[in-house]
Amino acid sequence: MLADGSRQVNLTRNAADDQWPAWSPDGRLIAFMSERDGSPDVFVMESDGSDQTNITRHWSDNEYPWWSPDGMRIVFQSNRDGNAQLYIVDADGSNLTRITNNTAWDYQPCWSPDGRRIAFVSDRTGNSDIHVMGADGSNPVAITDHSAADLAPTWSPDGNRIAFHSE
């Protein structure tokens, strides 16, 4: 739809939940999560809704896609190895790489505007807090420490701030 709410168009038409849409940086593609193949998977489609392709194709939960600033890769959360961890995949579904590996749940990732860091939610501290690490998974650091759950981080366009909500 347009930013004023007009011209709303349904891009996906199936009985499954389609959610967590994320625009590619060039506006040509949209990544999203869908349960149409039986479990949550990450799909990529053209911005007009055509060419909907499952890029994760795994029975596990694959959720929260976020594009790299160069539009070449997508970071997402998956529990394919037992618990929710973060993975990066090329936009065509190739070159899957796990970037976190711990007993805590890591989820809701988002790439920094410069592509060098990823903010994400983790319960590594015993509670859902916002963490930041290198885009390769290096040097994860908790940046919030609240008794409430801190969720859904998103970077400011200049990369100097992170917005999130706390429950």
Side-chain angles (χ1 to χ4, degrees):
M1 72 178 155
L2 295 178
D4 66 3
S6 65
R7 294 194 192 166
Q8 294 181 20
V9 177
N10 183 357
L11 298 178
T12 62
R13 290 176 177 81
N14 61 76
D17 289 336
D18 295 331
Q19 48 191 324
W20 292 97
W23 287 96
S24 64
D26 65 5
R28 193 176 63 81
L29 301 170
I30 299 172
F32 63 101
M33 187 278 294
S34 178
E35 296 179 6
R36 66 182 70 176
D37 290 342
S39 63
D41 273 305
V42 175
F43 285 70
V44 173
M45 68 179 169
E46 297 290 328
S47 63
D48 65 1
S50 65
D51 196 22
Q52 297 180 19
T53 304
N54 183 337
I55 65 165
T56 54
R57 295 194 185 280
H58 197 271
W59 57 265
S60 63
D61 294 346
N62 301 282
E63 304 171 303
Y64 308 114
W66 194 282
W67 290 91
S68 62
D70 64 8
M72 302 299 292
R73 298 171 292 161
I74 296 171
V75 63
F76 67 99
Q77 168 249 300
S78 178
N79 65 352
R80 66 184 57 216
D81 293 321
N83 68 322
Q85 297 295 297
L86 301 182
Y87 295 78
I88 294 175
V89 67
D90 288 352
D92 66 1
S94 64
N95 297 318
L96 179 70
T97 304
R98 183 175 174 171
I99 60 169
T100 61
N101 189 5
N102 59 74
T103 58
W105 281 56
D106 297 333
Y107 55 104
Q108 295 182 343
C110 68
W111 234 297
S112 66
D114 64 9
R116 295 181 13 216
R117 297 170 290 168
I118 293 174
F120 63 102
V121 178
S122 181
D123 65 0
R124 297 171 188 212
T125 58
N127 188 43
S128 294
D129 285 310
I130 307 299
H131 291 66
V132 173
M133 66 182 171
D136 62 357
S138 62
N139 304 314
V141 175
I143 60 170
T144 65
D145 183 17
H146 300 122
S147 59
D150 298 332
L151 304 166
T154 184
W155 295 85
S156 62
D158 64 7
N160 289 327
R161 295 179 290 168
I162 296 174
F164 65 96
H165 80 262
S166 190
E167 297 181 343

